[in-house]
Amino acid sequence: MTIDPARLLTLAVRLARQAGDLAYRMRSEAASGSALQVDTKSTPTDVVTAADRAVERLVLSELRRERPHDAILGEETGQHDVTDREESRVRWIVDPIDGTVNYLYGIPQYAVSLAVEVDGEVVAGVVRNPVTGQEWTAIAGQGAWRDGTRLTGSRCTDLSQALVATGFGYDAQRRAYQGEVIARLLPKVRDIRRFGSASLDLCMTAEGIFDAYFEKGLKAWDLAAGGLIAKEAGLQVTGLRGQPAGPDMTLAAPAALHQGLHDLLVELDADGGP
Ligand code: LIP
């Protein structure tokens, strides 16, 4: 059976818009972000809100209705395999609100991130900032776009002139190690930016707003859609030492910067530590 990634992306975009509207409405109606906080996860600063859970429930129920044979991986509810039907070739990867701390604090830098895999490969993805309405999309082999504009990454070729986005984990010991890495990296680049949403960092790097991005500790739902968008914008999206992008390290950069930043991150053992 032929699966059309364009049709999957059309559904993903519709769901991202519905989900983004719900997230935005819930935050607008809450007296404060803390009114929405319902729990913490890996550490006391790794929060989950009622909106994270409501948005994921919305996406899951729509997917069950539209695509009952597909598997789903959601940040808040985990893996939902197809049981009483033929093994599905399609899996949806859902981050209901990427940038949850920004969401909690009312900072307009959070996103709904939806990706879809066929036979284990991400073939389409959408990242949508519900506050700005900015929407980044990609289909494997067909390029990356933001609101109709083709994305081609940064033209920067000098690492010392590069504006590099990054992020930090929630665990205090990992943050201490990451802070040491940043202290040694900072003099070698123009500057860093830490905006708090991996999927938006990847999209802004795909757009060339940041020259490069790296982060240790990304989960599949942080990386799936934004990683495809960055790749389809022509960036190299990898791990270190020949590894693919993933929880040990995600590095996204144009070819002119990738090797230099890669080697610097290896020298600093940026994928090491707790
Ligand atoms: C966030 C990531 C971000 C990272 C944060 C956090 P969340 O995801 O998007 O890149 O630096 O620590 O993990 O928790 O908002 O879904």
Side-chain angles (χ1 to χ4, degrees):
M1 175 185 68
T2 305
I3 297 172
D4 179 2
R7 290 190 61 182
L8 295 173
L9 180 63
T10 300
L11 175 56
V13 167
R14 176 165 68 79
L15 295 183
R17 291 174 182 174
Q18 281 180 268
D21 290 348
L22 175 60
Y24 183 78
R25 188 167 65 249
M26 288 184 75
R27 186 63 184 80
S28 305
E29 290 168 357
S32 70
S34 56
L36 286 169
Q37 181 174 343
V38 289
D39 214 342
T40 58
K41 297 188 290 190
S42 62
T43 72
T45 56
D46 183 3
V47 295
V48 56
T49 72
D52 290 278
R53 290 181 174 163
V55 169
E56 186 159 317
R57 278 197 304 272
L58 169 66
V59 172
L60 265 56
S61 83
E62 287 295 297
L63 283 174
R64 282 278 164 263
R65 188 164 60 84
E66 295 277 347
R67 302 274 313 178
H69 295 274
D70 293 354
I72 302 169
L73 172 63
E75 177 177 7
E76 308 309 338
T77 56
Q79 179 77 15
H80 306 258
D81 286 318
V82 184
T83 49
D84 58 350
R85 301 176 180 87
E86 61 180 4
E87 181 68 21
S88 168
R89 297 175 55 203
V90 177
R91 182 174 75 151
W92 297 79
I93 302 173
V94 182
D95 192 335
I97 298 177
D98 182 43
T100 302
V101 173
N102 288 344
Y103 183 77
L104 204 60
Y105 280 73
I107 298 168
Q109 185 76 5
Y110 62 90
V112 175
S113 177
L114 291 184
V116 55
E117 285 177 347
V118 175
D119 301 332
E121 293 294 323
V122 177
V123 297
V126 54
V127 175
R128 181 175 175 82
N129 182 327
V131 182
T132 65
Q134 289 173 305
E135 187 173 89
W136 293 264
T137 58
I139 294 175
Q142 298 184 31
W145 308 80
R146 197 254 302 148
D147 302 328
T149 300
R150 183 83 183 247
L151 307 179
T152 56
S154 164
R155 293 288 174 270
C156 179
T157 58
D158 179 350
L159 188 60
S160 69
Q161 298 298 308
L163 187 63
V164 180
T166 190
F168 307 114
Y170 287 113
D171 173 77
Q173 288 182 319
R174 172 170 289 187
R175 293 166 69 78
Y177 186 87
Q178 291 174 314
E180 290 169 9
V181 169
I182 287 295
R184 293 164 62 201
L185 177 137
L186 206 47
K188 298 183 183 287
V189 299
R190 175 192 293 274
D191 204 346
I192 65 159
R193 291 291 183 271
R194 195 292 197 255
F195 273 31
S197 166
S199 59
L200 289 178
D201 289 339
L202 285 159
C203 289
M204 292 170 76
T205 305
E207 193 164 344
I209 295 169
F210 300 136
D211 297 312
Y213 164 73
F214 74 94
E215 185 165 355
K216 172 184 169 75
L218 295 194
K219 306 288 192 304
W221 43 81
D222 296 317
L223 173 57
L228 176 68
I229 290 162
K231 277 181 202 160
E232 288 299 319
L235 304 187
Q236 295 182 8
V237 183
T238 69
L240 302 183
R241 305 180 183 86
Q243 296 303 305
D248 288 341
M249 180 57 69
T250 292
L251 167 57
L257 293 176
H258 184 274
Q259 191 64 52
L261 185 49
H262 170 278
D263 294 349
L264 177 56
L265 293 172
V266 168
E267 178 193 332
L268 299 178
D269 198 20
D271 57 345

